[in-house]
Amino acid sequence: MTKAEETAAWLQLRLPQRPKTALVLGSGLGVFAESMENAVEMPYADIPNWPQSTAIGHAGKLIIGRLGC
């Protein structure tokens, strides 16, 4: 199993549903993520093979939820 496959399998076990769309937000857009419904947050450090954020002020977490649905 590749590292990408390992990470995908780990995420699939922990997500309430499979995301249809992904947004990558910069460090200053965390407020946007706060408006999501039923959000699930996962610190990057918990996700196998996931790169860690080095940007100052970056929350360092993956947030999955619903927006405007």
Side-chain angles (χ1 to χ4, degrees):
M1 180 181 291
T2 67
K3 288 183 177 184
E5 291 169 332
E6 178 185 5
T7 303
W10 188 93
L11 288 169
Q12 287 173 352
L13 289 174
R14 288 158 179 83
L15 299 179
Q17 65 185 39
R18 188 176 191 153
K20 294 180 182 177
T21 304
L23 298 173
V24 178
L25 303 177
S27 298
L29 297 172
V31 174
F32 180 80
E34 292 174 7
S35 64
M36 293 195 313
E37 300 172 10
N38 302 318
V40 175
E41 298 184 6
M42 293 176 227
Y44 289 169
D46 292 351
I47 305 170
N49 309 306
W50 200 266
Q52 301 301 300
S53 175
T54 57
I56 295 173
H58 190 280
K61 58 187 173 183
L62 176 67
I63 305 172
I64 299 168
R66 297 181 66 84
L67 189 63
C69 298

